């Protein structure tokens, strides 16, 4: 999508602090980190949220989850980490391109706000 900032990060039209990248996804540091480690993992394909995925995206979603585990390991999150995906208005999704927050290196609270 031409006006989507995360699509533009995926194509490097908008710069980001990249942690990992392959042909299907890109992982980069969040601009406003909520913990000592806070990265975002996004598919390069534009999907608005989990509500937007279809049968053909199953492999992509599995790939993202698998890579999140590898990325967490590479970032030294052996003490644990949280994976969050805000979907839609009630969840306060602010960027309408599917993304997974990976947050770590501090003790988390539960329930989330
Ligand atoms: P959400 O509120 O779940 O939609 O999360 C969007 C996240 O994207 C927020 O944590 C923002 O800080 C982050 N964000 C927005 N623009 C950028 C950007 N250009 N580079 C890195 N992170 C960004
Ligand atoms: Zn997009």
């Amino acid at each position: 999508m031409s006006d989507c900032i995360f699509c533009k990060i995926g194509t490097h039209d908008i710069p980001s602090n990249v942690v990992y990248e392959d042909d299907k996804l890109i992982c980069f540091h969040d601009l406003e980190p909520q913990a000592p480690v806070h990265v975002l993992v996004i598919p390069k394909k534009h999907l608005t949220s989990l509500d937007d995925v279809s049968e053909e995206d199953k492999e992509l979603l599995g790939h993202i989850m698998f890579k999140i585990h590898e990325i967490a390991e590479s970032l030294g999150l052996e003490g644990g980490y949280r994976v969050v995906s805000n979907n839609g208005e009630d969840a306060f999704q602010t960027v309408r391109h599917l993304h997974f927050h990976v947050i770590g290196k501090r003790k988390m609270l539960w329930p989330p706000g």
Side-chain angles (χ1 to χ4, degrees):
M1 257 198 16
S2 57
D3 61 343
C4 171
I5 55 166
F6 281 5
C7 281
K8 287 180 180 163
I9 285 176
T11 55
H12 297 274
D13 289 310
I14 291 179
S16 68
N17 191 352
V18 178
V19 172
Y20 172 82
E21 177 176 18
D22 60 30
D23 58 327
K24 296 189 184 69
L25 64 80
I26 185 165
C27 171
F28 53 95
H29 288 278
D30 197 292
L31 267 187
E32 293 180 44
Q34 302 300 317
V37 171
H38 185 172
V39 299
L40 300 172
V41 180
I42 68 165
K44 288 188 173 177
K45 174 181 179 180
H46 181 83
L47 293 163
T48 306
S49 74
L50 285 174
D51 289 339
D52 199 21
V53 305
S54 58
E55 193 78 19
E56 68 178 32
D57 301 313
K58 279 162 79 173
E59 198 183 319
L60 173 61
L61 292 171
H63 180 70
I64 290 171
M65 287 301 140
F66 180 74
K67 285 295 170 185
I68 282 176
H69 148 74
E70 283 191 357
I71 289 164
E73 206 167 55
S74 78
L75 292 171
L77 300 180
E78 57 282 323
Y81 56 94
R82 184 167 288 173
V83 180
V84 175
S85 181
N86 297 320
N87 287 266
E89 221 174 293
D90 282 358
F92 207 63
Q93 181 182 6
T94 59
V95 178
R96 294 293 189 153
H97 178 123
L98 178 64
H99 53 281
F100 297 87
H101 299 257
V102 180
I103 304 165
K105 290 279 182 200
R106 72 162 164 81
K107 288 276 183 200
M108 304 291 157
L109 300 173
W110 192 262

